[in-house]
């Protein structure tokens, strides 16, 4: 058979194979896309349903949440102000305040002043007594910081258990309502560049304004949606999504997601995703990196898909180039800021570390309130005790391992990641040229910034 016929057959076979492969890839993409749409529709359906239940519950609630109803059978205790009025307010020193409430007396007085418009006096109808603002805040802080049981707080403060439960709820709601606008805000347009400069200085990653990750909060088995609350580690949890700046301060959080939801699904269900997709991280005129316009970036782990505004590491393959390996080292270095932030958050506010027996709705509010209190402590340099971190080692609920996302990456995002690879290579070469022959060798990653006891860089 002539050779020309063989070449024609080979070309035809190759074209048919190419067509079959393209068809299979197209069908697979359609299947994945349809799966994502179905999953997203299911999530929104759950959100609407739970919002409906929550509104009905709020409209009928006069006492603490259903999970706390069993506490109402506790025998009421007559108020005894001796411990609070005489011991705490007059005899407590700085160490006593940190041990019992994990904040200083000055932070406590600041909270009392800021929350006064909302909680000047909390009247508990069932107990028929008025609880002062200071005592109400003190009970809530002790519950958040030490995860002390309601019955013990009741005995300690001389307040019936239902009153303690309601005080914790009211204080968390007041913190979110009054203090979140002051201590946790999305960066304004003129602040984005400041965030990026701070992150570049402290963590060596340009154009980055924050790091995103999720924290699983242990809860006891809920009466409903039990299967949804199981996380991959095999325990019930509520998930908190947080974004921190270069100094470990939260500038965006959302909570209330069930433990079975993956990080990318949570992100797509949050307002942060909507803001980013609508160009919220792009400044005008756009900033440039190596002569190319580049918007501001978030850093995330393998649980997120690659976006033009959200970067993650290259998959750990054996054929990664030296540029890609350097990029991975740099990005993993930047992720440490949120690891440190979550560690300090759980250590100071141990209701997020120990298994929480409050209902899911209250746990979500407690988580957001703790993030706001974390920011307040950072801003006012409240002391941090390392022994609180040691308590985290006794952990019966280890955090789930990050699982690579099944979501499709943005096809335009790889160009952004490649640009950062080139930037880090150029930066490293410049350092080599600037060094004298007697200088020490160049390290691929800058030393991490020193973190003080309050968790700030």
């Amino acid at each position: 058979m002539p050779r020309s016929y063989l070449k024609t057959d080979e070309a035809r076979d190759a074209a048919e194979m190419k067509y079959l492969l393209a068809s299979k890839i197209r069908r697979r993409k359609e299947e994945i896309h349809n799966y994502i749409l179905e999953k997203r529709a299911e999530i929104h359906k759950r959100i609407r349903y739970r919002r409906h239940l929550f509104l009905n519950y709020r409209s009928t609630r006069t006492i603490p949440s259903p999970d706390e109803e069993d506490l109402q059978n506790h025998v009421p205790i007559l108020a005894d102000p001796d411990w609070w009025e005489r011991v705490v307010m007059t005899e407590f020193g700085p160490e006593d305040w940190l041990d019992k409430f994990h904040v200083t007396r000055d932070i406590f007085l600041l909270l009392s002043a800021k929350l006064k418009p909302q909680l000047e006096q909390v009247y508990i109808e069932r107990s028929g007594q008025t609880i002062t603002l200071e005592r109400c805040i003190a009970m809530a802080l002790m519950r958040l910081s030490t995860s002390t049981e309601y019955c013990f707080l009741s005995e300690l403060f001389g307040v019936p258990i239902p009153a303690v439960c309601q005080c914790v709820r009211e204080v968390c709601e007041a913190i979110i309502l009054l203090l979140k606008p002051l201590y946790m805000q999305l960066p304004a347009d003129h602040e984005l560049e400041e965030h990026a400069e701070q992150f570049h200085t402290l963590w060596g990653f340009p154009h980055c304004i924050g790091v995103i990750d999720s924290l699983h909060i242990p809860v006891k088995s809920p009466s409903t949606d039990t299967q949804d609350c199981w996380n991959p580690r095999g325990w019930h949890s509520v998930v908190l999504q947080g974004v921190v700046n270069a100094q470990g301060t939260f500038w965006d959080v959302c909570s209330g997601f069930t433990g079975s939801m993956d990080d990318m699904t949570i992100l797509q269900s949050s307002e942060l995703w909507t803001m980013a997709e609508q160009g919220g991280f792009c400044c005008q005129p756009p900033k440039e990196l190596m002569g190319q316009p580049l918007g501001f970036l978030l850093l995330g782990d393998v649980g997120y898909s690659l976006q033009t505004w959200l970067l993650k590491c290259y998959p750990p393959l054996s054929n990664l180039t030296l540029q890609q390996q350097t990029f991975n080292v740099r990005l993993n270095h930047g992720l440490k800021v949120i690891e440190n932030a979550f560690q300090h958050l759980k250590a100071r506010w141990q209701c997020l570390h120990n298994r929480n027996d409050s209902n899911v709705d209250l746990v979500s509010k407690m988580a957001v309130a703790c993030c706001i209190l974390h920011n307040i402590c950072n801003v006012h340099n409240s002391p941090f005790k390392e022994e609180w971190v040691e308590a985290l080692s006794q952990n019966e609920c280890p955090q789930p391992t990050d699982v690579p996302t099944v979501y499709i990456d943005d096809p335009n995002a790889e160009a952004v990641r490649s640009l950062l690879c080139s930037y880090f290579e150029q930066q490293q070469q410049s350092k080599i040229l600037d060094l004298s022959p007697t200088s020490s060798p160049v390290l691929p990653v800058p030393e991490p910034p020193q973190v003080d006891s309050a968790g700030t860089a």
Side-chain angles (χ1 to χ4, degrees), residues 37-48:
L37 292 179
E38 292 175 1
K39 191 72 174 178
R40 190 177 299 173
E42 181 182 348
I43 291 170
H44 287 303
K45 182 179 179 181
R46 290 181 185 176
I47 292 174
R48 289 193 300 270

Side-chain angles (χ1 to χ4, degrees), residues 292-307:
Q292 299 293 326
L294 180 64
F296 296 112
L297 306 170
L298 294 181
L299 305 184
D301 56 33
V302 296
Y304 298 97
S305 65
L306 188 66
Q307 305 293 322

Side-chain angles (χ1 to χ4, degrees), residues 262-264 301-305 312 315-316 401-407 409:
D262 59 84
D263 289 351
M264 193 60 194
D301 56 33
V302 296
Y304 298 97
S305 65
K312 63 177 182 178
T401 305
D402 295 326
V403 178
T405 178
V406 297
Y407 293 85
D409 294 337

Side-chain angles (χ1 to χ4, degrees), residues 151-358:
C151 58
F152 181 79
L153 293 175
S154 172
E155 299 285 349
L156 189 62
F157 286 88
V159 176
I161 287 183
V164 178
C165 299
Q166 188 165 343
C167 278
V168 173
R169 179 181 290 275
E170 296 288 347
V171 169
C172 289
E173 292 176 349
I175 289 174
I176 296 172
L177 177 65
L178 299 179
L179 300 185
K180 186 177 180 181
L182 300 177
Y183 292 94
M184 184 187 295
Q185 294 180 331
L186 294 174
D189 292 341
H190 67 279
E191 295 173 327
L192 291 174
E193 187 171 357
E194 297 177 6
H195 279 56
E197 291 177 354
Q198 289 181 357
F199 205 97
H200 194 191
T201 300
L202 296 176
W203 297 94
F205 209 102
H207 282 244
C208 178
I209 58 174
V211 184
I212 184 171
D213 202 359
S214 295
L215 176 69
H216 286 254
I217 303 167
V219 295
K220 75 174 187 179
S221 178
S223 56
T224 59
D225 296 330
T226 302
Q227 185 175 0
D228 289 341
C229 284
W230 281 104
N231 63 37
R233 278 281 190 172
W235 44 275
H236 293 98
S237 64
V238 172
V239 185
L240 167 76
Q241 175 185 277
V243 184
V244 299
N245 63 14
Q247 298 178 339
T249 300
F250 292 94
W251 56 260
D252 182 74
V253 297
C254 58
S255 183
F257 304 97
T258 57
S260 63
M261 295 177 66
D262 59 84
D263 289 351
M264 193 60 194
T265 302
I266 294 173
L267 173 59
Q268 291 180 336
S269 303
S270 66
E271 295 181 2
L272 182 68
W273 174 268
T274 302
M275 181 186 74
E277 288 294 292
Q278 293 177 351
F281 295 156
C282 298
C283 60
Q284 296 297 332
K287 301 297 179 181
E288 291 188 354
L289 182 70
M290 298 183 65
Q292 299 293 326
L294 180 64
F296 296 112
L297 306 170
L298 294 181
L299 305 184
D301 56 33
V302 296
Y304 298 97
S305 65
L306 188 66
Q307 305 293 322
T308 55
W309 50 270
L310 175 58
L311 299 185
K312 63 177 182 178
C313 289
Y314 287 94
L317 304 175
S318 58
N319 58 346
L320 290 182
T321 65
L322 182 59
Q323 282 186 334
Q324 294 171 340
Q325 294 176 21
T326 302
F327 175 87
N328 283 1
V329 172
R330 295 280 186 147
L331 191 141
N332 283 323
H333 176 70
L335 294 180
K336 291 180 180 179
V337 64
I338 199 165
E339 295 174 6
N340 296 338
F342 276 152
Q343 183 186 59
H344 282 77
L345 177 72
K346 293 188 297 179
R348 189 187 292 269
W349 308 108
Q350 295 181 8
C351 67
L352 307 180
H353 167 66
N354 300 317
R355 195 178 296 274
N356 201 315
D357 59 358
S358 300

Side-chain angles (χ1 to χ4, degrees), residues 423-450:
Y423 168 79
F424 291 135
E425 182 185 35
Q426 183 187 71
Q427 187 184 46
Q428 190 169 352
Q429 290 177 351
S430 298
K431 288 184 178 180
I432 294 175
L433 293 175
D434 292 340
L435 287 175
S436 63
T438 58
S439 299
S440 57
V442 178
L443 295 177
V445 181
E447 289 295 326
Q450 297 296 322

